[in-house]
Amino acid sequence: MKNGKLALAMALLTASGTSVSADIFVWGGGDGDWGNHALWIGPNGQVPDSIVDSATLGVDNADVTLSSNVALGTLNVLNGLALYNIEHSIFVDGDTQINGGGSTLVLRDSPALRELDTDTLLIRNGGLLILGDATVQADEEIVIESNSGIYGLGVIEMDSTTGNLDIGAGIIWAVANGTETDTLVIQRTASSTSKLDVTHPNSSLTIWDNKTMDVRIPFFGSLGGRLWVSGGSSFLADSPIIAGPGSEFLMTSGGPGFGDSSTIQAASAIDSYGHLQVGGHATIDTPLLVLRGTGELRDDAVLVLDTTATVFDSFVAVHDEDGEGDGGGIEFRAGTTTLNVNNGVSSVETGIGGWFDLDGIAAMTTNISDGSSLVLDVEFIERFESNDYNGTLNIEGTLDLVDHGAYDAWNNLGDVFLDTGVLDGRDLNNRGLISGTGTIFATLYNDGELVADGGTMFLKNIDLDGDNSGSELGVIRAQTGDMSVSNNVPSNQNFRGSMFIGDGAGIREVFESNLSLYFHSFDGSVGSLEMNSGRLASTRVWLNSMFSTAGDSLISVYGTDSDEYIRFGSEGTNTITGMLGLIGNVTFEEGADFLGEGTIAGNHIHRTIDLDHGASLGDVSLQTVGQLTLGQGTDGIGHASVAGLTLLPGAELVVDLAGEHDGVGHDRIKAFDQVMLDGKLVLDVVDGFSVQTGEAFTIIEGSSISGGFDQVDSVGLGLEYGVVIEMHDDRVDVVITCRVDLNQDGLIDFFDVSDFLDAFGAMEPAADFTGDGLYDFFDVSEFLDQFGAGCP
């Protein structure tokens, strides 16, 4: 016997003035006072008053009332009887049982330290212990079985080192019962090792009507049954709560007069594998919350998560719609720093009018792990019926914000980091930062900053210039990663933001798209492209604002010859340092400004670079393996200038020798530095114009001239004309000659015939008089016709 128990027993015995006996007392029937001797079946003239006496109520259907403090050996309340202990104390040296439907022990507050002190308290078969601000202490264990329970408010205290408070298939119900306090406390003494056992699938902890259940002892195992908090009540736990797969958290608000929110609070953590059902307003308050099972939000329900960190581990919550209200919502308090989504698909459906507060009050961080998905089928991602996001998203898995309509979108004002992750669902207006590598399937309007970092960022449908609703301009960065854009419907994009491609180190970074990109200046904004050993690939590129490039950069376009182009617009300023390669049909407009001393290179043998009349590359040099024309974009004659000019093997220079463009009579290109020639020269005239024998045209100027043309095609001048290419130190001239005067001596005679036959036998271009690339009878016939006609 423990010292406290012995002291209490001796005090009760002294007060009663009776001797200890081993008698068994059975209540004999009738309502009345415990001290009524006539109603006891046992030794005459006595009532149970000894720690060795055993008192049993339940012979007849009669309730009794305790009229004084008593000490007993055992106490049994059976067969539907009730024992009312009003302001007195019961000390039971052995066990107490409340057994049978309707069997009740009612304890009310008394001056004593405890209203019931027993070894084992067994409540079974519908028995009920009712507390009215009373204190119960069990020195061994409390067992609640078979739809039985403890009901009311007060204190349940364990003082055992061998047993637990085992709810079993029963209930502990904190509810008003004529009490003055608002709390049911479940605790243990400093020396006790008891735990609260709620592992049974039919166990229940229930708190109603603005009351509190304060559990100050650890849990044994995981919650197997139901935790029901209703009417603005609170469940408080000093220890972590683990709720098993078959468990249920049921949280409902009360009507008028009750608190705004029902609360479940755990001092360290809640880890739930079970079902969470919310009706009205509810709060879960714990540093770490892990939801692994299922959830259900009724119409207009609000679940507040007051956590430091929340984990969704394959958590699926749905909207339980009854047609009486809008969807509910889930929101986070200011102290919440992280939401972690792990292990499979977690989804929240709150319906029309519902929300999920994705960024919390204080811009929390959401982490979606690799292989995991967060699906939000909600109308709003903020609790204020807003779709503005201000937090931080780290996505290795997938975030899917379900689209609810044609104009449904969310606004990123925070930071989104993709780590091979996926963004999907409704349209996204980016006014913050999206960075990393992964895929955005949603239609994206960019007024913020997109950064490809560490790999490739795939954008499946994008408006690079955003929705133009704000003053911010979009920024695109493919400097430490690649960016790939593939719109469902290819479109022309006027870009007034800033694009950066390449960082000048390591592997060349790429921005590729199926869009036509127009870098313009309009509405007071200047679109810009900056490249540093990067590559831009698109269907069209028009540089008509600010462009700069360094290192070894490349712009390439693809598509049909007529559709693809790279255009340097008349309003553009272009700073070229290093080498800029171009693949595609390129036009340099008059007025385009060039700075720097780099080189522009045409890198495709089947593509054309056209210098409009008046175009100047300043101190920038030009080289190409493809075709170079002057003024073709304006269907006329062009004069243009470059710093240096290099025609590589395979290149083709096309020159119109006769025509007119603003009084200019023939194409001419000027290089302020060295000119190096190779490839083919093609001579032509503009429709309606012709050349004359003996005319000389300067087509190239340079500080020095080297090399020469492998081939000269003068068919465009007329079959009767030939040319002589005169190479000078600082220029290249074309002199018009008579075609049949092959030796250029001014005479048409036998020697010309001999030269023709030699060229015809060697299949040299000089003998291709029809210009069809073949050497046959028609060339001989054409030569003879012109020989007979003489020179023009």
Side-chain angles (χ1 to χ4, degrees), residues 299 382 389 443 495 512 583 587 716:
D299 284 347
E382 275 202 331
Y389 177 78
T443 298
F495 187 58
E512 61 180 1
I583 298 179
T587 299

Short mmCIF file of all heavy atoms in Angstrom, two decimals, residues 299 382 389 443 495 512 583 587 716:
data_model
loop_
_atom_site.label_atom_id
_atom_site.label_comp_id
_atom_site.label_asym_id
_atom_site.label_seq_id
_atom_site.Cartn_x
_atom_site.Cartn_y
_atom_site.Cartn_z
N ASP A 299 -19.15 21.73 -46.73
CA ASP A 299 -19.38 23.08 -47.24
C ASP A 299 -19.01 24.12 -46.20
O ASP A 299 -19.38 24.02 -45.02
CB ASP A 299 -20.86 23.24 -47.60
CG ASP A 299 -21.21 22.56 -48.92
OD1 ASP A 299 -20.27 22.20 -49.64
OD2 ASP A 299 -22.40 22.39 -49.20
N GLU A 382 -5.31 31.46 -52.18
CA GLU A 382 -5.16 32.28 -50.97
C GLU A 382 -6.49 32.30 -50.23
O GLU A 382 -7.55 32.12 -50.83
CB GLU A 382 -4.73 33.71 -51.31
CG GLU A 382 -3.24 33.86 -51.48
CD GLU A 382 -2.80 35.31 -51.27
OE1 GLU A 382 -3.58 36.22 -51.54
OE2 GLU A 382 -1.65 35.51 -50.84
N TYR A 389 0.26 34.42 -55.39
CA TYR A 389 1.16 33.56 -54.62
C TYR A 389 2.42 34.35 -54.28
O TYR A 389 3.06 34.93 -55.17
CB TYR A 389 1.53 32.31 -55.42
CG TYR A 389 2.51 31.43 -54.70
CD1 TYR A 389 2.10 30.61 -53.67
CD2 TYR A 389 3.87 31.46 -55.02
CE1 TYR A 389 3.01 29.82 -52.97
CE2 TYR A 389 4.78 30.68 -54.34
CZ TYR A 389 4.34 29.86 -53.31
OH TYR A 389 5.25 29.10 -52.62
N THR A 443 -0.14 27.40 -69.53
CA THR A 443 0.13 28.60 -70.30
C THR A 443 0.74 29.66 -69.38
O THR A 443 0.18 30.00 -68.34
CB THR A 443 -1.16 29.15 -70.93
OG1 THR A 443 -1.68 28.17 -71.84
CG2 THR A 443 -0.89 30.43 -71.70
N PHE A 495 8.62 41.14 -77.95
CA PHE A 495 9.27 41.05 -76.64
C PHE A 495 9.86 42.39 -76.26
O PHE A 495 10.76 42.91 -76.93
CB PHE A 495 10.35 39.97 -76.68
CG PHE A 495 10.97 39.69 -75.34
CD1 PHE A 495 10.18 39.29 -74.28
CD2 PHE A 495 12.32 39.83 -75.13
CE1 PHE A 495 10.74 39.02 -73.03
CE2 PHE A 495 12.89 39.57 -73.90
CZ PHE A 495 12.09 39.16 -72.85
N GLU A 512 15.71 27.88 -77.30
CA GLU A 512 15.11 27.48 -78.55
C GLU A 512 13.60 27.53 -78.43
O GLU A 512 13.03 27.28 -77.37
CB GLU A 512 15.56 26.07 -78.95
CG GLU A 512 15.19 24.98 -77.97
CD GLU A 512 15.66 23.62 -78.42
OE1 GLU A 512 16.29 23.55 -79.49
OE2 GLU A 512 15.40 22.64 -77.72
N ILE A 583 22.59 31.43 -88.77
CA ILE A 583 22.11 30.38 -89.68
C ILE A 583 20.68 30.75 -90.05
O ILE A 583 19.78 30.72 -89.21
CB ILE A 583 22.16 28.99 -89.02
CG1 ILE A 583 23.59 28.62 -88.67
CG2 ILE A 583 21.53 27.95 -89.93
CD1 ILE A 583 23.72 27.28 -88.00
N THR A 587 18.89 39.80 -92.91
CA THR A 587 18.79 41.13 -93.50
C THR A 587 19.33 42.16 -92.52
O THR A 587 18.97 42.16 -91.34
CB THR A 587 17.33 41.48 -93.85
OG1 THR A 587 16.84 40.55 -94.81
CG2 THR A 587 17.23 42.89 -94.41
N GLY A 716 23.40 36.35 -115.96
CA GLY A 716 22.36 37.35 -115.71
C GLY A 716 22.56 38.64 -116.46
O GLY A 716 21.62 39.44 -116.58
#
